[in-house]
Amino acid sequence: MPRHPSLPSWGNAEAGTPRVSLVLLTGVDRLAIDAVAFSLADSRPAIRVATYDVTPDPASPTGLSLVRTVCEPENDNNLLGGDTTMFPMDDCCLTCACKHDLVRVMNAAPEWSGAVLAVLPVGVEGTAVAQYLADSSMLGDLPCAIDTIHVATAVGLDGFESRLFDDGRLVIAGTTDDDAVLDSRSTGVVQARLIREAAHILVLPTLAADGGAGLGGVALGGAAMSPRQDADETARLSAIVTALADPAATIHPDAHCTDLHALIGDVCTPSRVRV
């Protein structure tokens, strides 16, 4: 698979042009995505967060709408709420809808600069979105210069293995059989692809590692798992994540201990977009 550099400074932006370092966060489990997004946003006060969710919408031509929430850094409650907009998904797919809307949002807020976290809908891969944004920046279609783009994915170890081998279609929206919106791909395939494409893999440890009940708290046969067994299981699952990941990727074993700076580095450090 060829690798292309993402966008370092091309040296052709006018002086004073706002500069952005962008992280695109993906995942197959909404709770894990939200937990990682909250932790990253909380690690750096001056950050803008744009979050996308999918919702069924019978009034939309495609039957789906996107819900976009933008949280500004000056809002003291930016981790708990923001400016929310719902609009019909009128592009050919969710990936195109998200990448085109991100450009619209960034053009509507030309003062954007610094770190930006874009949380993509469940199952949407980040590579195509990253490449489109890098191209838009290079062609001058944005009011800011994107210095780096990093694709990251949230992986929760609790339930990880069952999702990985789940042949059922991925649920991207809805909570019941009546309103569930299904992806054409299986849950396991999507999870493996998101891990493989990511430059950063943010792992949520098992609940036991956080002082909770662990991987269900029981071993096969119903016996309670000891702390040693829980640690061994965590190591086994982490080895699977490592095997799926690109050898050049950075795996963060505890997302809650990962600062956003660990992903974006210095503002003008080149990153990668993989296509």
Side-chain angles (χ1 to χ4, degrees), residues 178-252:
D178 294 330
D179 68 355
V181 178
L182 302 177
D183 194 283
S184 60
R185 305 163 296 169
S186 72
T187 300
V189 164
V190 176
Q191 179 158 263
R193 287 179 64 91
L194 294 183
I195 292 173
R196 186 64 180 179
E197 74 161 357
H200 293 272
I201 299 163
L202 296 147
V203 177
L204 286 171
T206 66
L207 293 177
D210 277 341
L215 296 158
V218 295
L220 292 177
M225 291 180 68
S226 68
R228 175 60 183 271
Q229 287 174 315
D230 231 359
D232 290 345
E233 184 68 354
T234 296
R236 186 181 70 84
L237 295 176
S238 298
I240 297 175
V241 174
T242 301
L244 291 171
D246 187 301
T250 301
I251 299 176
H252 305 267

Side-chain angles (χ1 to χ4, degrees), residues 16-89:
T17 298
R19 314 196 71 83
V20 166
S21 291
L22 179 65
V23 174
L24 300 174
L25 182 63
T26 70
V28 298
D29 177 66
R30 173 48 61 187
L31 292 178
I33 296 172
D34 288 346
V36 171
F38 186 96
S39 185
L40 288 176
D42 193 41
S43 73
R44 186 163 181 155
I47 178 175
R48 285 178 170 86
V49 183
T51 301
Y52 290 90
D53 281 309
V54 181
T55 184
D57 183 4
S60 169
T62 60
L64 297 175
S65 280
L66 282 175
V67 180
R68 179 220 306 133
T69 303
V70 177
C71 302
E72 299 289 346
E74 62 269 15
N75 182 357
D76 291 338
N77 296 316
N78 73 316
L79 299 179
L80 302 177
D83 181 14
T84 298
T85 304
M86 188 172 83
F87 54 94
M89 194 203 86

